[in-house]
Amino acid sequence: MLLEADVTQSRTFIRFFTAGSAVLLLGYFIACKSGSNNVALSGAGSTFVYPVMTRWIQDFSQAHPNVQINYQSIGSGGGIQQVKSKTVDFGASDTPLTDQQIAAMFPIVQIPETAGPVCITYNLPELKQPLKLSPEALAGIFLGNIKNWQDSVIARDNPGVNLPKTNVVVAHRAEGSGTTNIFTTYLSAVNTEWQQKAGKGNSLSWPVGIGGKGSEGVTGIIRQSPGAIGYVELTYAQQNHLPTASIKNQAGQYVQPTAQGTTAAIAAFAGQLAQDPRTPIVNPANAPDAYPISGLTFLIIPKDGPDKAKRTALKSFIQYVITNGQPTAESLNYAPLPDSVKQYDQEQLGQLTADGQPL
């Protein structure tokens, strides 16, 4: 017959053995996992490109189940900062880095990945047809000079339309945003007052309006605010069943935001893009089909990295994006890259290395 002390000691040993076995099994599992060929990549940045980036990652991961990619939609400015701090493997920005910014960083490559329209969306349920806006009207709204939807400038763009007597509520991005850069580059190109008072960039001091975090935040403000207007990537407006305005281009045509309209804008700047893909493609001349608020988006990638397996997987993913991933982009309202930009991308991709050695 066992003494009570012996029973207690036995139970303690069993608990210790069970816990120890669990630790050993966990260690074995971790060792096996680390010895596998799984690769984890991380990226961050543009909300503009987030809808197609999600699809690209999903499709690529299905074909390469050992590669896991996590992308954070935090805005172009945030993506650039995370690349600088080396906390991600790649960033995405609707604003390319300038020569001065590149010189201040470690070596990077910039690869245009797609292009698309920045649409102007609004909350005016009384209107049964798309709103038309000229550059004068759009700049006046975002400057705060136009305060009501029955303003005469808007009325001239929409003859015969019964505009609502509703105050204008402007929504804009609150954080550093490449989408903001494209939109304000356009406003600066078409309106001298805007250029002098506000200018262009990822971040600026807005004359009027409410700031929202990401394209998601701007869309949310517009949905919740009668009379609201703002700028987002087209997919966000479509997913939230919000209308988009037709914008008057230099040829005098009111054009809806579409991939085809962006393709026409790219074609208008074909010569400049062949020389430098960072060339803005807003407000093209002699392009009646072009949507005037369009822009290219870019992947920003460290030129070198220590992990060959990760670098090889990253190169493979980018190769997919700029080739087989282009039709996917077009299906989601983005414009495919022209051949000259694709050739540039291949040259940039060939510069990637791992620990100084070519991939």
Side-chain angles (χ1 to χ4, degrees):
M1 185 175 182
L2 289 172
L3 297 174
E4 184 177 351
D6 295 326
V7 173
T8 302
Q9 185 176 10
S10 298
R11 289 174 176 168
T12 302
F13 174 78
I14 291 169
R15 284 198 300 270
F16 174 81
F17 177 80
T18 303
S21 298
V23 170
L24 288 172
L25 287 171
L26 179 61
Y28 175 78
F29 174 77
I30 292 173
C32 290
K33 192 73 174 176
S34 63
S36 71
N37 294 320
N38 287 348
V39 174
L41 299 174
S42 61
S46 166
T47 65
F48 181 88
V49 80
Y50 180 66
V52 70
M53 181 66 73
T54 302
R55 278 285 302 278
W56 280 335
I57 290 172
Q58 178 184 358
D59 294 347
F60 182 81
S61 297
Q62 286 180 349
H64 303 81
N66 64 311
V67 180
Q68 299 165 349
I69 306 173
N70 176 50
Y71 180 80
Q72 301 172 40
S73 174
I74 60 173
S76 297
I80 292 170
Q81 288 302 318
Q82 289 210 20
V83 171
K84 284 183 178 180
S85 63
K86 299 184 178 181
T87 55
V88 294
D89 298 300
F90 67 93
S93 173
D94 312 319
T95 307
L97 297 176
T98 64
D99 290 341
Q100 293 77 12
Q101 289 174 313
I102 292 172
M105 287 181 67
F106 52 83
I108 59 98
V109 297
Q110 296 189 100
I111 296 180
E113 56 187 322
T114 190
V118 175
C119 77
I120 306 303
T121 185
Y122 53 92
N123 183 350
L124 295 172
E126 302 93 336
L127 294 186
K128 304 306 178 186
Q129 60 195 77
L131 182 71
K132 294 179 180 179
L133 292 173
S134 61
E136 181 186 5
L138 197 54
I141 288 169
F142 280 84
L143 281 166
N145 298 337
I146 295 176
K147 304 180 185 299
N148 191 279
W149 284 105
Q150 289 189 343
D151 189 281
S152 60
V153 177
I154 300 176
R156 282 200 301 270
D157 292 333
N158 299 271
V161 176
N162 186 21
L163 295 166
K165 193 174 183 179
T166 306
N167 289 334
V168 174
V169 178
V170 171
H172 58 74
R173 292 285 287 276
E175 82 285 14
S177 160
T179 310
T180 294
N181 194 296
I182 295 170
F183 180 54
T184 57
T185 297
Y186 165 78
L187 290 179
S188 295
V190 299
N191 188 273
T192 302
E193 184 180 359
W194 178 273
Q195 184 180 30
Q196 294 173 346
K197 289 186 176 180
K200 61 185 178 181
N202 284 9
S203 300
L204 61 150
S205 178
W206 290 91
V208 68
I210 305 168
K213 179 73 172 177
S215 294
E216 302 91 339
V218 173
T219 306
I221 292 171
I222 296 168
R223 285 189 62 187
Q224 297 165 17
S225 309
I229 184 172
Y231 59 94
V232 296
E233 194 275 325
L234 181 56
T235 301
Y236 291 95
Q238 291 182 341
Q239 290 177 345
N240 287 275
H241 308 291
L242 290 170
T244 56
S246 297
I247 307 301
K248 188 177 183 180
N249 62 20
Q250 276 211 60
Q253 302 298 313
Y254 290 91
V255 183
Q256 273 284 306
T258 63
Q260 293 75 20
T262 296
T263 296
I266 291 172
F269 287 97
Q272 296 95 314
L273 289 171
Q275 297 297 318
D276 188 349
R278 295 177 296 180
T279 302
I281 59 171
V282 300
N283 198 40
N286 304 316
D289 297 327
Y291 181 73
I293 318 176
S294 296
L296 290 162
T297 72
F298 298 78
L299 292 173
I300 299 174
I301 309 152
K303 190 174 180 180
D304 189 55
D307 190 323
K308 185 176 181 179
K310 289 184 70 172
R311 299 287 292 174
T312 301
L314 179 60
K315 182 178 180 180
S316 180
F317 173 61
I318 298 168
Q319 180 68 38
Y320 160 75
V321 165
I322 62 178
T323 54
N324 294 338
Q326 290 298 296
T328 300
E330 194 169 7
S331 72
L332 292 172
N333 305 312
Y334 298 87
L337 297 172
D339 289 341
S340 63
V341 174
K342 288 181 181 179
Q343 182 179 350
Y344 172 87
D345 284 352
Q346 293 294 349
E347 293 169 358
Q348 296 296 302
L349 197 58
Q351 297 184 36
L352 296 185
T353 58
D355 202 19
Q357 299 300 312
L359 295 173

